[in-house]
Amino acid sequence: MMKKFAAFVLIAVMIAAIAIPVSAHPDNDSLGTVPKTATAPIADGVKDAIYDEGLYIPIKNGHSATPDGGLGGGADAWVLWDDEYLYVFVDTKVASFFQQDDIEDKQQGSQWDLTTVEVIVDFANANEDNNNVTQFRMDEYGYPNVTFGRNTPQLVGDECKPFYESGSVKAANSYTSEFKINYKACEAEALASGIDSYGGPFAAGKQIGFYLFAQEIGDGESALFISNPTDRAGNWEPLKYDYIVLGDNVVGAPEPEPEPEPEPEPEPDAPVAQPEEPAAPPPAPAAPTGDVGMIALIMFVAISAAAVLVIKKKTM
């Protein structure tokens, strides 16, 4: 009996262990739950209103206690997801932009020497090796690059398009960086590049190691801001990342169309007005009758008799 009980307990422990999600960051923090959007933002660098319903993440902690140096105040980020994409919108504030030389050369080979924003992810949230990290980056001019693993060459410009769409808008004291990351395309490229795993399906409940970095370059100085606490700075150290969780709460769903109002019941048919019959014409004057003729005859006789009497009197 005891053996059966012990076997039952062992099975229960094994099932519980399988049911508990494994995370390489038990001491780190969840940045929050990312809402799922029913309305896809357009990756053009203009902040769609739907981002205000996304997960907000400030990028304002100093990287390794690097002082600001008066270059700006860091950045603000908003995150959404849907069945295919992870959307990240970043708005970075700067005091002014430093005009550098050799910008194109730096974009092609050392973009870290420019004012940039980086979205660094460990899609499996369980990797210790920095070669299992994917880095998406964009500079102040909107030029993109992506690196699949620490030791692989970066892809730049149009080479990034299969993996993420991007957009940027630059103003006097700020610039935006918008990333529309294609999960499946990135997963296929990452596995081909030597990344062990992206941690399974892109679905609600998935944990993603998440690290945001904003660098502002000045004349001989720089200011670096991160989303992590300063004591866990480390762009290529996934065990230091906080993480996000893909949520099942949906935002941006279109308003349901109102039910059509029922058509009013048809009123009973009104009786059709019959045309009035024309009024009868007044009766024609009656033709003289026999009585009238008789009266006329009597009067004629009477008048004649009176005339005869008058004549007789005159002759006498």
Side-chain angles (χ1 to χ4, degrees):
M1 187 63 146
M2 288 296 295
K3 288 183 179 180
K4 290 184 178 179
F5 179 75
F8 174 77
V9 170
L10 178 60
I11 292 171
V13 169
M14 291 174 66
I15 292 173
I18 293 172
I20 298 172
V22 177
S23 170
H25 316 290
D27 298 325
N28 297 351
D29 300 322
S30 168
L31 292 167
T33 299
V34 181
K36 184 176 185 180
T37 179
T39 302
I42 300 171
D44 56 3
V46 177
K47 186 184 175 194
D48 293 55
I50 189 64
Y51 277 112
D52 288 328
E53 300 187 55
L55 174 64
Y56 168 71
I57 302 175
I59 314 173
K60 302 195 177 196
N61 296 322
H63 182 287
S64 303
T66 302
D68 179 351
L71 297 176
D76 301 283
W78 294 264
V79 188
L80 293 163
W81 76 287
D82 62 22
D83 289 333
E84 297 184 59
Y85 298 98
L86 183 68
Y87 302 91
V88 184
F89 187 93
V90 182
D91 185 8
T92 304
K93 307 298 182 186
V94 299
S96 62
F97 290 97
F98 177 62
Q99 299 302 313
Q100 298 192 64
D101 297 326
D102 305 322
I103 292 172
E104 292 185 5
D105 291 341
K106 290 173 180 174
Q107 288 175 332
Q108 298 296 318
S110 58
Q111 198 177 28
W112 49 85
D113 289 331
L114 301 172
T115 293
T116 56
V117 163
E118 299 176 16
V119 177
I120 308 174
V121 294
D122 168 12
F123 274 114
N125 195 39
N127 291 316
E128 300 180 16
D129 186 350
N130 61 15
N131 203 44
N132 291 313
V133 170
T134 303
Q135 178 197 62
F136 305 90
R137 181 163 48 192
M138 203 181 315
D139 65 26
E140 64 185 270
Y141 306 97
Y143 193 80
N145 71 42
V146 59
T147 304
F148 292 97
R150 183 71 175 90
N151 301 317
T152 58
Q154 64 180 4
L155 305 176
V156 298
D158 288 345
E159 295 173 331
C160 301
K161 286 184 177 180
F163 310 111
Y164 74 102
E165 298 175 39
S166 61
S168 180
V169 175
K170 188 174 181 179
N173 298 100
S174 66
Y175 73 103
T176 62
S177 309
E178 187 169 8
F179 304 79
K180 181 180 178 180
I181 299 169
N182 186 321
Y183 178 79
K184 289 184 179 179
C186 289
E187 181 183 37
E189 181 68 19
L191 296 177
S193 300
I195 287 180
D196 295 336
S197 169
Y198 260 28
F202 195 63
K206 182 178 180 62
Q207 293 183 1
I208 299 172
F210 206 67
Y211 184 95
L212 299 174
F213 173 83
Q215 173 175 265
E216 298 163 28
I217 300 295
D219 186 5
E221 60 186 355
S222 62
L224 302 98
F225 301 93
I226 59 175
S227 56
N228 273 21
T230 298
D231 62 359
R232 280 197 277 112
N235 294 30
W236 291 97
E237 300 177 67
L239 285 178
K240 293 183 177 181
Y241 300 171
D242 286 330
Y243 61 91
I244 57 177
V245 181
L246 302 185
D248 56 6
N249 54 315
V250 179
V251 297
E255 293 290 333
E257 294 186 6
E259 293 287 335
E261 294 185 6
E263 294 186 6
E265 293 289 334
E267 295 183 4
D269 293 338
V272 178
Q274 298 295 328
E276 295 184 3
E277 295 185 3
T289 63
D291 292 339
V292 174
M294 184 59 69
I295 293 171
L297 179 60
I298 292 171
M299 290 179 66
F300 175 77
V301 172
I303 292 170
S304 298
V308 170
L309 289 176
V310 171
I311 292 169
K312 283 185 176 180
K313 285 184 179 181
K314 286 183 178 182
T315 56
M316 288 182 67

